[in-house]
Amino acid sequence: MVVLGAGSAGATELLPSSFVLEQEGRPILLIDCGAGVLDAYRRQYQQLPEAVYISHPHMDHVADLEKLFIAACFNDKPAPRIYVPAAIVPRLTRMFDNHPGQLAEGGANFWQVLQLVAVDSGFWLAQHNFRVTPARHHQLDFSFSLSLPGRFFFTADTRPIPEVLHHLAAGGEPILHDVGLVANPSHTGIEDIKRDYDARLWPRLYLYHYYAEKDAALMEAEGFNVLRPRQRLILPAERASDVVTA
Ligand SMILES: [Zn+2]
């Protein structure tokens, strides 16, 4: 898992939180696509993403979908697939599908140039069975975690979700968790982590979505793992029982 950005919506010196899942050195899934993420992705891989997972429709996670749409309009490659939890498809469509004025030349539909894949509890990609579960962010059915059991759990923007992590991330996998120095009604703070999670879980947490590097350093000083841009997290190997052969 490659970290492109680890910042919050208010961060000025950090890219918005975004990750790339690689397999055998190839990028297979971009996770979230806020402002500046697409350029970072292109610098890293010299191509457009072929698949993107959108966790929720806040601009710091979706803004560059517009840029991706324009780039894909003039690209002869297959349409990038955009995996979107079904509950947020209407909102995302209202945000981006400015029919008919989206492209100056006309003739382009948003969910055609970018291929919408609406998902509920999960989806298949590169023969992996990804799981999608509701997080606790901002409002009901708004933000959705993404995971591959035993390999990684990405919380997406969320308040603490002990009822989920203690049951669905029980395979020793690293947990990429939204954490800032100070909690607010939509995000987790470092004090929430200490109160709501069993201390045995703490070493598996990799914190992201913070405001500034100085906050990262303070959380690190408390003994937590903190993710930084360009960092590469090596995930546990797939168990034989998880491997799906065609
Ligand atoms: Zn958010």
Side-chain angles (χ1 to χ4, degrees):
M1 187 73 83
V2 176
V3 183
L4 288 185
S8 65
T12 50
E13 64 187 53
L14 299 164
L15 264 189
S17 292
S18 177
F19 304 89
V20 179
L21 183 63
E22 290 185 354
Q23 180 171 279
E24 293 165 3
R26 278 192 60 248
I28 63 168
L29 182 65
L30 170 63
I31 300 173
D32 283 340
C33 196
V37 165
L38 192 61
D39 284 346
Y41 184 97
R42 282 165 139 174
R43 275 196 301 276
Q44 181 89 9
Y45 299 107
Q46 289 79 49
Q47 64 179 69
L48 294 178
E50 295 173 3
V52 184
Y53 173 74
I54 296 297
S55 67
H56 70 292
H58 272 155
M59 274 299 182
D60 58 323
H61 298 263
V62 301
D64 267 7
L65 281 182
E66 182 177 46
K67 224 174 186 178
L68 179 59
F69 166 80
I70 300 293
C73 275
F74 300 101
N75 191 358
D76 55 7
K77 297 278 194 306
R81 295 182 308 282
I82 316 295
Y83 297 85
V84 183
I88 61 170
V89 167
R91 185 185 295 257
L92 209 54
T93 303
R94 284 196 295 273
M95 288 166 75
F96 287 100
D97 188 3
N98 311 310
H99 182 79
Q102 206 150 36
L103 190 67
E105 295 83 351
N109 299 314
F110 191 77
W111 290 137
Q112 190 172 351
V113 174
L114 303 181
Q115 185 191 337
L116 171 68
V117 184
V119 303
D120 183 31
S121 59
F123 60 91
W124 289 98
L125 174 65
Q127 297 186 333
H128 300 292
N129 188 0
F130 288 85
R131 186 165 56 194
V132 173
T133 46
R136 293 176 57 210
H137 181 54
H138 202 63
Q139 65 188 57
L140 197 63
D141 275 344
F142 186 79
S143 181
F144 293 83
S145 306
L146 179 72
S147 59
L148 272 181
R151 308 204 68 197
F152 78 89
F153 194 105
F154 159 75
T155 63
D157 283 16
T158 192
R159 294 283 301 146
I161 44 172
E163 70 282 11
V164 175
L165 295 185
H166 287 159
H167 295 282
L168 298 183
E173 59 271 67
I175 298 164
L176 287 68
H177 204 304
D178 164 3
V179 183
L181 197 58
V182 180
N184 69 37
S186 288
H187 294 278
T188 303
I190 200 75
E191 293 307 316
D192 295 324
I193 294 286
K194 295 177 192 168
R195 185 190 59 233
D196 291 346
Y197 292 133
D198 189 308
R200 287 171 294 184
L201 196 78
W202 299 358
R204 289 206 280 131
L205 298 175
Y206 291 82
L207 314 187
Y208 73 91
H209 210 282
Y210 46 87
Y211 176 66
E213 170 54 34
K214 66 174 173 41
D215 293 8
L218 286 170
M219 296 193 292
E220 215 162 42
E222 294 217 44
F224 290 98
N225 304 306
V226 178
L227 293 173
R228 296 216 169 55
R230 292 178 295 286
Q231 194 174 340
R232 190 173 286 265
L233 196 59
I234 306 298
L235 305 181
E238 203 159 29
R239 293 170 302 191
S241 59
D242 296 332
V243 177
V244 176
T245 47

